[in-house]
Amino acid sequence: MIVFHIDMDAFFSAFEERERPELDGKPVVVGADPKEGKGRGVVSTCNYEARKFGIRSGMPISKAYRLCPQAVFLPVNFELYWRVSQNIMKIISGYALKMQQAGIDEAFLVPKDVKTYSSAKSIARKIKKEIIEREHLTCSIGIGPNKLVAKIASDLKKPDGLTAVKNKDVKSFLSPLQVRKLYGIGPKTEEALNKLGIMTIGDIAKYDKNKLNDAFGKFGFVMHDYANGIDNSDVIENAESKSVGREITFEKDTNDFKLIGKVIDDISSEIFNTAKNAGYVFRTVVLKIRFEDFETHTKRKSIKNNDITLENLKETADELLSCFQNARKKIRLIGLRLTNLEKVKQ
Ligand code: TTP
Ligand code: MG
């Protein structure tokens, strides 16, 4: 099998730069209002110029302001990004035998009419070209024998990268990379691995998997498979009916419920307005929470009333969030999604 992972470069920021040529060459941060360092909420993303100052997605906006007060701080125009995302997904789907959208700016693809790595690379170049021509935005593409390898490969030469890893090269490709590059390994697991003298993915691959199981439970086995490039998961056509959602991975795992509440509040407004202006009503609200150890929960609530307001949505989101308020673990990711969308009849 040959799988692509396609991921847009600095997506929200690249969109803003496309719309405003005067931003050229400047550090740009898209996220909550910094209020001269007193703002709450987080950075959604920033361009590569701003990353030179140490700014990252999911960082408190106040910290980003301290790192680079002269950056251009812009609010999140989620609705516009969502529309562009739909255009991009449509372009990608033109090349798909199977396609799985994995986020607002990323998708896995089993391309049609591709048998060899050289034809895969030429299709990948075509996709990049079409996205640039039609949307004036760049992406990075990873090609591999499975989703895991394709995803790691797409991240390797950002921005505007193209990295293909053949089956026979998977081990030598993964081996020198830091353990954090492997899906499921956050800062805590990284620290625990480093204490065992395990620094790279190659170190995990060589390690006794029973010992990894002793230290990390059944994720120890999974981690060992991943480190050896083994991932049997399929590219699954998105099953869920139409939805609008957004997730934030905090730069540092957190249990600051003031910050978490503010992020949920911001996300609620963004997705509510996006769904509404696109002419949808929704039936279900889904909250997703991922803890520092990657344990992930979703809680959903269905809504009978068609005329739900933003206030109602925020209350519902808060209610779902309160189920996790007493968790002793820190939170890595938070997300909110409106599903079972239906077009409003005119
Ligand atoms: P990413 O693909 O993670 O980041 P990016 O596209 O900005 O940068 P990169 O070049 O490294 O791929 O996320 C895509 C968009 O999603 C990003 O522009 C902003 C948004 N986003 C969130 O809403 N929450 C998050 O936690 C992250 C990481 C990004
Ligand atoms: Mg991206």
Side-chain angles (χ1 to χ4, degrees), residues 7-8 10-12 45 48 51 105 158 246-249:
D7 190 295
M8 303 304 295
F11 183 48
F12 293 5
T45 195
Y48 283 75
R51 290 180 202 191
D105 82 329
K158 267 182 167 292
R246 178 143 143 72
E247 295 178 354
I248 295 282
T249 303

Side-chain angles (χ1 to χ4, degrees), residues 148 151-152 178-191 193 201 204 216 219-220 222-224 226-227 253 290-296 332:
L148 176 88
K151 183 157 168 93
I152 296 174
Q178 296 296 306
V179 293
R180 269 295 274 286
K181 293 273 176 196
L182 211 58
Y183 182 76
I185 297 184
K188 259 203 152 170
T189 312
E190 177 185 38
E191 205 186 307
L193 284 165
I201 294 181
I204 301 177
F216 302 101
F219 179 62
V222 176
M223 188 195 297
H224 191 262
Y226 283 175
D253 301 336
R290 177 168 292 148
F291 290 107
E292 54 192 339
D293 59 359
F294 274 76
E295 186 184 295
T296 306
R332 172 179 173 80

Side-chain angles (χ1 to χ4, degrees), residues 18-38:
R18 175 186 97 176
E19 302 297 298
R20 309 169 194 225
E22 71 273 17
L23 295 176
D24 191 37
K26 294 186 180 154
V28 176
V29 180
V30 180
D33 184 349
K35 296 188 177 152
E36 295 186 333
K38 297 192 190 78

Side-chain angles (χ1 to χ4, degrees), residues 149-311:
V149 174
K151 183 157 168 93
I152 296 174
S154 73
D155 193 50
L156 210 68
K157 291 189 193 142
K158 267 182 167 292
D160 202 14
L162 173 57
T163 307
V165 185
K166 289 184 185 166
N167 212 357
K168 68 174 175 52
D169 300 324
V170 165
K171 280 208 173 180
S172 57
F173 166 72
L174 293 176
S175 181
L177 303 176
Q178 296 296 306
V179 293
R180 269 295 274 286
K181 293 273 176 196
L182 211 58
Y183 182 76
I185 297 184
K188 259 203 152 170
T189 312
E190 177 185 38
E191 205 186 307
L193 284 165
N194 290 169
K195 275 196 186 133
L196 295 170
I198 301 173
M199 312 306 281
T200 64
I201 294 181
D203 295 338
I204 301 177
K206 281 184 294 196
Y207 212 78
D208 180 346
K209 64 176 167 188
N210 292 312
K211 285 196 183 138
L212 289 173
N213 178 249
D214 292 342
F216 302 101
K218 63 176 192 284
F219 179 62
F221 287 137
V222 176
M223 188 195 297
H224 191 262
D225 275 354
Y226 283 175
N228 283 286
I230 300 167
D231 169 26
N232 295 319
S233 67
D234 274 327
V235 173
I236 306 162
E237 301 272 353
N238 297 92
E240 192 137 36
S241 68
K242 247 190 166 348
S243 70
V244 180
R246 178 143 143 72
E247 295 178 354
I248 295 282
T249 303
F250 293 103
E251 182 220 2
K252 282 207 176 92
D253 301 336
T254 182
N255 50 15
D256 175 352
F257 268 82
K258 270 198 182 141
L259 178 70
I260 297 164
K262 171 78 170 103
V263 166
I264 281 292
D265 214 57
D266 289 348
I267 294 182
S268 299
S269 308
E270 289 162 17
I271 61 178
F272 181 85
N273 292 325
T274 301
K276 191 173 161 208
N277 295 336
Y280 291 110
V281 288
F282 53 93
R283 301 248 172 269
T284 311
V285 181
V286 187
L287 179 89
K288 174 171 166 184
I289 207 160
R290 177 168 292 148
F291 290 107
E292 54 192 339
D293 59 359
F294 274 76
E295 186 184 295
T296 306
H297 297 268
T298 53
K299 277 225 170 270
R300 56 180 66 218
K301 187 165 179 188
S302 287
I303 286 153
K304 290 193 188 77
N305 182 2
N306 257 355
D307 306 321
I308 183 163
T309 61
L310 177 57
E311 285 311 303

